[in-house]
């Protein structure tokens, strides 16, 4: 018999065996489908969110551009003059496009659904869970792109015209914009009159010339509301020099490789142009320093994934958790296969006596395992697709559209089908190999007809159960620690009154009338008006503690210029007004605060942890320190830089909690904020009680001063809850706990199924014990002890593995030790209790058997 024919017979016989034992098949397929499904969902989500190509024709020819400085920092934004230089000089590109995304105010839009009504109608709006940022204006997400954008991407508008078909003279006479089909449907209910309609973006009138295709994101991760030509940016910002300023690094650059051109060749040409452009920049700017060009395959991420260490670690941890879950599923089905193999000894022995070799028996058993894996793969693929589709739909229903119409394409493609096929066959061989070897070995032994498992088989079964328990315990402990970290992070004392302080951000309309003097007058008048509102206790201007706007400075305790190389410490700094501490309720432990008038500019106040780090066990008041900027690149020309040789410490304030999980942003250096810089800082308003009444009174107060002012406001508590680290920790907790619970379910299925099979096989032994006078409780205790021994071994191994996992997670655990006793001991005890419950029913059923029946059992 040739090999194809024998394989076909193995497949047919394996299918009959699986269909003849539907209970076992269903349990095994379900267990494997959970493990394979989670891995498929993770890989599909990775492709949809991380490894997604640009939305373009032939996306494999698209590339991203960035510049790497000698300090290893990266710039992925370029000025418009530099864009034109690269566009005209790099011949390896068939086309180069520029892209800039920003929020603009939207007026005169009319339409069916406004932004506020859309937000209020969302699930988060109805539950009162909207992210902070309520305000008095409607905003639109606007993508400003070079005129060749759609041509290079190879995308045509759904209706109307794109920018390259509009003449420059025509664009100068009537500024044009495109609207996305998603926004056209959501905001205007697909009103065909939108084409040719005039709306105002940042107060500038533009006419809608076309509609982009549905879900078209281009070089972004979300669908913009409008697309406008970059040449119109001076109009939107009332700044005629906006495009000509070589230091205005506004745009990301993407290119399509020319036929026959390689990434390496393009990178070399970009480096030559970049070296020439250095001489055209301000000699004091970072752009004037030597750089190396970086060109890589087109991606929505501004830099290659290796530059995002935190994201890379997160991806690896999620994939590791999914792989562990698959290992638990394989161990689960392997233990079931091993136990089931004992009941098939007569069948296998008969096949052996009829001339089958051991290799043929192993091949037959592996064929059945591969069939199980393929069946599970089909179920897993459907499970992953349905789950991800539900997540995508829930996102659109829960989150208001103005916070990002994110597009995730989760439909399986050929790569996903190939992945599922490969992992299904791999899982089938992985869980089937050990049982096939062991069961075929048992057939050849002299104890084939024994009613109990061999010592080798029992050890293998115990190992598989212990492996399930240990890996599931690691996942559960990790999930428990992340959940406790998220809860703990929201319960910790912030060090300031976050519930009764409102952050008000003011955006001035674009226009020449809002010069620096005019802005200062408006802010002072607004602060005076706000201070007089009922319920307002105090008003100050500064960035709040849970804001990412803090900079770091090199701290030196010796004379001379301070830099990162000779720094004593690297600390955060922020600029505040004299009444900042009183407004936020932050006490001063030592010294005094800044004075309202006549305060020396070279004075600083330290937070308690910063003082302890610089002068442990000493009083820092009256001492001097030097400050030096740690990274000039992040400071704009309008930003005040902490840079000076002699600052005197005049006070020490209580620590406040920021948003970094390691607490590094609690170590603060406070400097006085000059009045001239008030327009560049949020206004912090201390209120007596609930914020609703004060927030309602803000709109008329702001409008009475200047109706053109754009205001967004939220409490500091809302800002803290919606900061990126806490959202990331919450999502990590949800993923880890979800995978951990699936692992627990699989482990319990394995324990229950294995114990059930073992008890059935030991029915004769139980009958003999009962016939010679053994008590039922003794037999029950014996079975439970033997059943829980591998569970205890797995718990011990899992605790050791969880120590390593907690070390990897230490960067995202807020307020918890690396070894959290409650998570380790509590989860282990819970697991042991549930494992006993899983083993009890089959053990209890064994002692209910009539001894005379058990003695005749085969």
């Amino acid at each position: 018999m040739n090999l194809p024919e024998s394989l076909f017979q193995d497949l047919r016989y394996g299918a009959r065996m699986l269909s003849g034992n539907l209970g076992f098949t269903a349990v095994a397929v379900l267990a494997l489908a959970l493990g394979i499904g989670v891995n498929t969902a993770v890989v599909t989500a990775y492709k949809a969110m991380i490894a997604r190509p640009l939305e373009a024709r032939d996306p494999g020819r698209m590339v991203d551009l960035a510049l790497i400085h000698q300090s290893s920092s990266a710039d992925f934004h370029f000025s418009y003059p530099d864009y034109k230089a690269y566009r005209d000089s790099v011949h390896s590109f068939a086309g180069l496009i520029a892209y800039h995304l920003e929020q603009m105010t939207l007026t005169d839009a009319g339409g069916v659904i406004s932004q506020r009504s859309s937000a209020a109608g969302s699930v988060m709006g109805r539950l009162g869970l909207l992210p902070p940022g309520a305000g008095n204006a409607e905003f639109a997400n606007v993508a400003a792109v070079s005129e060749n954008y759609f041509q290079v991407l190879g995308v045509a508008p759904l209706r109307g015209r794109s920018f390259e078909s509009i003449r420059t003279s025509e664009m100068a006479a009537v500024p044009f914009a495109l609207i996305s089909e998603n926004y056209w449907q959501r905001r205007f209910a697909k009103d065909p009159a939108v084409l040719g309609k005039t709306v105002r973006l940042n107060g500038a009138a533009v006419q809608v010339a076309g509609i982009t295709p549905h879900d078209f994101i281009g070089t972004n991760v979300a669908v913009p509301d409008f697309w406008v030509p970059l040449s119109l940016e001076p109009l939107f910002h009332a700044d005629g020099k906006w495009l000509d300023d070589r230091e205005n690094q506004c745009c990301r650059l993407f290119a399509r490789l020319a036929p026959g051109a390689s990434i390496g060749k393009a990178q070399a040409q970009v480096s030559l142009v970049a070296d020439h452009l250095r001489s055209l920049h301000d000699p004091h700017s970072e752009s004037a320093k030597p750089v190396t060009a970086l060109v890589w395959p087109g991606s929505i991420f501004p830099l290659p994934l290796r530059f995002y260490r935190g994201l890379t670690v997160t991806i690896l941890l999620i994939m590791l958790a999914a792989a562990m879950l698959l290992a638990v599923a394989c161990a689960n089905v392997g233990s079931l296969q091993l136990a089931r193999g004992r009941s098939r000894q007569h069948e296998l022995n008969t096949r052996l006596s009829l001339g089958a070799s051991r290799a043929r028996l192993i091949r037959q058993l592996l064929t059945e395992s591969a069939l199980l894996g393929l069946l599970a793969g089909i179920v897993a693929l459907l499970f992953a697709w349905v789950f991800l589709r539900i997540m995508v739909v829930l996102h659109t229903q829960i989150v208001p559209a103005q916070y990002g119409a994110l597009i995730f394409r989760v439909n399986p493609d050929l790569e996903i089908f190939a992945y599922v096929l490969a992992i299904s066959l791999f899982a089938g061989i992985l869980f089937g190999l050990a049982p096939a070897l062991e069961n075929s070995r048992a057939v050849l032994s002299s104890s084939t007809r024994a009613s109990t498992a061999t010592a080798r088989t029992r050890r293998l079964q115990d190992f598989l159960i212990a492996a399930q328990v240990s890996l599931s315990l690691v996942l559960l402990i990790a999930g428990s620690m992340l959940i406790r970290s998220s809860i703990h992070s929201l319960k910790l004392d912030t060090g300031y009154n976050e519930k009764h302080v409102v952050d008000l951000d003011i955006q001035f309309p674009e226009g020449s009338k809002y010069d620096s003097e005019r802005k200062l007058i408006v802010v002072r008048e607004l602060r005076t008006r706000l201070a007089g509102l009922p319920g307002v206790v105090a008003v100050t201007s500064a960035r709040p503690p849970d804001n990412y706007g803090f900079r770091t400075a090199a701290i030196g305790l010796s004379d001379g210029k301070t830099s990162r190389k000779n720094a004593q410490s690297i600390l955060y700094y922020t600029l505040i007004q004299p009444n900042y501490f009183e407004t936020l309720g932050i006490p001063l432990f030592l010294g005094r605060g800044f004075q309202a008038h006549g305060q020396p500019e070279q004075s600083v106040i330290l937070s308690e942890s910063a003082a302890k780090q610089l002068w442990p066990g000493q009083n820092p008041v009256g001492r001097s320190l030097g400050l030096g900027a740690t990274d000039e690149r992040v400071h704009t020309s309008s930003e005040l830089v902490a840079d000076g040789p002699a600052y005197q410490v005049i006070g020490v304030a209580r620590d406040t909690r920021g948003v970094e999980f390691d607490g590094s942003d609690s170590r603060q250096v406070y400097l006085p904020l000059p009045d001239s810089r008030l327009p560049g800082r949020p206004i912090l308003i201390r209120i007596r009680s609930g914020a609703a009444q004060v927030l309602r009174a803000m709109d008329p107060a702001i409008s009475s001063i200047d109706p053109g002012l754009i205001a967004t406001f939220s409490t500091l508590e809302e800002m803290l809850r919606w900061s990126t680290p806490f959202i990331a920790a919450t999502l990590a907790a949800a993923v880890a706990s979800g995978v951990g619970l699936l692992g627990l379910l699989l482990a319990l299925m394995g324990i229950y199924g294995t114990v059930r099979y073992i008890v059935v096989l030991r029915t004769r032994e139980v009958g003999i014990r009962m016939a010679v006078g053994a008590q039922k409780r003794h037999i029950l205790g014996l079975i439970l002890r033997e059943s829980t021994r591998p569970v205890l071994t797995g718990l011990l191994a899992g605790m050791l593995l969880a120590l390593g996992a907690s070390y990897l997670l230490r960067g995202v655990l807020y307020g918890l030790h690396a070894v959290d006793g409650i998570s380790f001991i509590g989860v282990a005890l819970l697991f042991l209790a549930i494992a006993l419950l899983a083993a009890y029913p089959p053990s209890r059923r064994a002692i209910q058997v009539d001894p005379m029946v058990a003695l005749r059992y085969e």
Side-chain angles (χ1 to χ4, degrees):
M1 185 182 298
N2 55 31
L3 182 60
E5 184 178 354
S6 64
L7 285 177
F8 176 75
Q9 288 186 353
D10 288 344
L11 287 171
R12 186 174 60 181
Y13 183 78
R16 286 207 310 268
M17 291 300 298
L18 294 179
S19 61
N21 195 342
L22 292 178
F24 166 80
T25 303
V27 172
V29 167
L30 175 61
L32 279 176
L34 287 175
I36 297 173
V38 168
N39 279 267
T40 303
V42 167
V43 172
T44 305
Y46 174 80
K47 284 194 62 181
M49 293 187 289
I50 307 298
R52 62 194 299 173
L54 297 177
E55 194 95 351
R57 172 182 51 81
D58 191 14
R61 301 296 295 171
M62 298 296 299
V63 293
D64 287 34
L65 275 69
L67 298 176
I68 307 300
H69 297 277
Q70 290 180 333
S71 61
S72 297
S73 62
D75 268 339
F76 47 83
H77 286 110
F78 299 80
S79 67
Y80 191 72
D82 284 355
Y83 155 71
K84 291 193 294 184
Y86 289 114
R87 182 194 63 191
D88 299 336
S89 304
V90 179
H91 303 296
S92 292
F93 295 151
L96 181 69
I97 57 178
Y99 171 86
H100 169 64
L101 183 68
E102 62 180 304
Q103 273 199 338
M104 296 185 186
T105 58
L106 175 66
T107 53
D108 294 347
V112 178
I113 303 174
S114 69
Q115 175 175 291
R116 283 188 171 184
S117 60
S118 172
S122 66
V123 174
M124 293 180 63
R126 291 194 296 268
L127 295 177
L129 298 177
L130 285 179
N136 64 346
E138 181 173 4
F139 294 92
N141 295 315
V142 180
V145 298
S146 54
E147 282 76 356
N148 63 339
Y149 184 85
F150 296 96
Q151 182 181 18
V152 172
L153 292 181
V155 176
L158 185 68
R159 295 188 183 186
R161 297 185 293 170
S162 58
F163 300 137
E164 63 270 8
S165 64
I166 302 174
R167 295 189 303 272
T168 304
S169 58
E170 190 178 359
M171 180 69 73
V174 182
F176 286 102
L178 300 184
I179 187 173
S180 71
E181 197 273 348
N182 301 62
Y183 193 65
W184 177 46
Q185 178 181 3
R186 183 179 75 248
R187 184 68 170 76
F188 299 98
K190 288 195 171 182
D191 181 3
V194 163
L195 282 178
K197 180 181 178 64
T198 298
V199 299
R200 291 186 177 274
L201 297 173
N202 274 6
V206 294
Q207 188 179 99
V208 178
I211 302 172
T212 59
H214 183 70
D215 286 351
F216 175 66
I217 57 176
T219 51
N220 190 31
V221 69
V223 179
D225 300 328
F226 291 94
W227 306 78
V228 298
L230 263 173
S231 58
L232 296 183
E233 283 290 337
L235 178 66
F236 297 128
H237 296 282
D239 182 1
K241 299 180 180 179
W242 198 93
L243 287 178
D244 300 325
D245 185 0
R246 196 173 289 274
E247 307 307 320
N248 178 22
Q249 296 180 317
C250 60
C251 308
R252 288 183 61 190
L253 301 187
F254 305 86
R256 180 176 292 278
L257 291 175
S262 65
I263 288 181
K265 182 178 179 181
Q267 186 165 290
Q269 292 181 7
V270 172
S271 293
L272 289 175
V273 178
D275 191 58
H276 166 70
L277 292 177
R278 287 196 301 116
S279 61
L280 303 179
H281 280 271
D282 182 346
H284 301 291
S285 71
E286 190 77 7
S287 301
K289 298 178 181 179
V291 293
T292 301
L294 181 63
V295 180
W296 73 99
S299 168
I300 58 172
F301 286 89
L303 293 170
L305 199 58
R306 67 177 184 271
F307 284 84
Y308 303 95
R309 184 178 179 184
L311 177 61
T312 304
V313 171
T314 301
I315 293 171
L316 291 176
L317 289 177
I318 291 176
M319 289 187 170
L320 178 61
M324 290 171 64
L325 185 66
L326 179 62
V328 171
C330 290
N332 179 303
V333 181
S335 63
L336 293 179
Q337 285 273 65
L338 199 61
R340 178 170 174 261
R342 298 300 302 166
S343 64
R344 297 181 62 183
Q345 292 299 302
H346 182 71
E347 170 212 338
L348 297 177
N349 191 53
T350 301
R351 290 171 61 87
L352 189 67
S353 63
L354 292 176
S357 65
R358 185 189 178 196
R360 181 63 187 274
L361 293 181
I362 292 175
R363 195 179 76 188
Q364 174 62 51
L365 295 174
L366 285 179
T367 301
E368 293 181 21
S369 299
L371 280 174
L372 271 178
L374 291 175
L375 288 174
I378 295 172
V379 176
L381 185 63
L382 293 174
F383 158 76
W385 178 75
V386 171
F387 173 77
L388 291 175
R389 286 299 305 170
I390 291 174
M391 293 296 102
V392 171
V393 172
L394 285 178
H395 175 270
T396 60
Q397 293 178 349
I398 292 175
V399 180
Q402 66 267 24
Y403 294 108
L406 300 177
I407 302 300
F408 300 117
R409 308 190 189 283
V410 296
N411 292 332
D413 54 18
L414 287 178
E415 291 183 355
I416 296 298
F417 280 116
Y419 173 79
V420 173
L421 176 63
I423 197 174
S424 300
L425 291 175
F426 170 77
I429 295 174
L430 181 64
F431 75 75
L433 184 59
L437 293 173
E438 186 57 38
N439 288 329
S440 62
R441 181 185 291 110
V443 172
L444 298 175
S445 69
S446 59
S447 57
T448 305
R449 303 182 61 84
S451 60
T452 59
T454 62
R456 178 190 291 271
T457 303
R458 286 304 308 274
R459 285 197 297 270
L460 183 55
Q461 286 175 327
D462 289 350
F463 170 77
L464 291 175
I465 292 178
Q468 295 176 62
V469 171
S470 61
L471 294 178
S472 301
L473 185 68
V474 172
L475 295 173
L476 278 173
I477 288 178
S480 173
M481 293 181 68
L482 288 167
I483 291 173
R484 280 177 39 77
S485 172
S486 297
I487 295 174
H488 198 241
S489 66
L490 296 175
K491 288 185 176 179
L492 284 178
D493 183 13
T494 60
Y496 59 92
N497 193 336
E498 75 280 2
K499 296 181 182 296
H500 298 117
V501 178
V502 175
D503 177 287
L504 172 63
D505 283 283
I506 295 296
Q507 179 181 339
F508 294 91
E510 303 291 347
S512 57
K513 73 171 186 175
Y514 289 99
D515 56 15
S516 57
E517 185 177 352
R518 170 65 178 164
K519 290 179 180 179
L520 181 58
I521 293 173
V522 170
V523 168
R524 283 175 171 170
E525 186 177 353
L526 178 59
R527 282 166 47 106
T528 303
R529 187 69 56 88
L530 293 173
L533 292 178
V536 172
V537 178
V539 176
T540 191
S541 292
R543 293 191 176 105
D546 49 11
N547 182 277
Y548 274 111
F550 293 128
R551 307 297 190 191
T552 57
I555 310 298
L557 303 183
S558 57
D559 295 337
K561 183 175 178 59
T562 302
S563 65
R564 182 180 286 273
K565 295 181 179 180
N566 64 358
Q568 177 78 14
S569 297
I570 304 295
L571 300 178
Y572 285 83
Y573 73 90
T574 188
L575 296 107
I576 63 172
Q577 285 200 293
N579 64 338
Y580 174 83
F581 297 112
E582 293 80 2
T583 303
L584 270 67
I586 304 172
L588 286 172
F589 290 152
L590 294 173
R592 57 179 176 82
F594 296 128
Q595 299 175 0
H597 302 285
Q599 175 67 43
E601 291 186 359
Q602 300 299 102
S603 299
V604 298
I605 297 173
L606 302 178
S607 66
E608 186 180 12
S609 57
K612 289 180 179 179
Q613 180 170 327
L614 294 175
W615 290 284
Q618 302 178 50
N619 185 349
V621 175
R623 298 178 181 268
S624 296
L625 54 82
L627 299 177
T630 56
D631 190 349
E632 295 177 2
R633 186 176 57 85
V634 300
H635 297 89
T636 64
S637 58
S638 61
E639 181 73 32
L640 283 175
V641 180
D643 191 7
Y647 288 84
Q648 185 180 22
V649 179
I650 63 171
V652 176
R654 180 187 180 185
D655 278 348
T656 59
R657 170 181 153 214
V659 294
E660 299 295 339
F661 284 107
D662 60 2
S664 58
D665 52 349
S666 294
R667 298 187 287 273
Q668 287 280 345
V669 178
Y670 298 99
L671 294 90
L673 175 68
D675 283 353
S676 60
R677 299 287 179 162
L678 292 181
R681 294 295 185 277
I683 299 175
L684 304 180
I685 307 163
R686 174 76 172 272
I687 57 179
R688 289 192 177 89
S689 56
Q693 181 179 356
V694 176
L695 294 180
R696 283 195 298 268
M698 281 187 184
D699 271 354
I702 295 171
S703 298
S704 65
I705 296 173
D706 191 333
L709 292 179
I710 303 162
T712 56
F713 37 79
S714 59
T715 65
L716 299 192
E717 183 181 33
E718 291 172 333
M719 294 180 64
L720 184 63
R721 289 178 181 273
W722 282 94
S723 60
T724 301
F726 294 108
I727 292 178
T730 303
L731 292 177
V735 171
S737 58
V739 174
L741 289 175
L742 289 177
L744 173 62
L745 175 63
L746 289 174
L748 296 183
M749 288 171 57
I751 293 170
Y752 177 86
T754 303
V755 173
R756 181 176 177 275
Y757 268 108
I758 291 174
V759 166
V760 170
L761 293 173
R762 297 181 66 177
T763 300
R764 182 177 176 85
E765 175 194 346
V766 171
I768 294 173
R769 289 178 179 274
M770 294 177 66
V772 297
Q775 298 294 318
K776 290 185 176 181
R777 66 176 183 274
H778 293 153
I779 297 175
L780 179 63
L782 173 65
I783 297 176
L784 286 177
R785 283 196 301 273
E786 292 186 1
S787 302
T788 55
R789 184 171 58 241
V791 174
L792 291 173
T793 303
L795 291 177
L796 179 60
M799 298 273 275
L800 295 176
L801 291 174
L803 289 174
S806 64
Y807 176 79
L808 294 176
L809 294 173
R810 68 192 186 281
V812 294
L813 295 176
Y814 197 100
L816 293 180
H817 295 291
V819 180
D820 180 46
I822 294 179
S823 296
F824 274 72
I825 298 174
V827 171
L829 292 177
L830 175 65
F831 205 115
L832 179 61
I834 297 177
L836 288 172
L837 289 175
Y840 181 79
S843 304
R844 178 72 178 173
R845 191 178 301 115
I847 63 175
Q848 302 299 325
V849 178
D850 188 307
M852 298 306 296
V853 175
L855 289 174
R856 294 194 298 269
Y857 182 81
E858 285 292 340

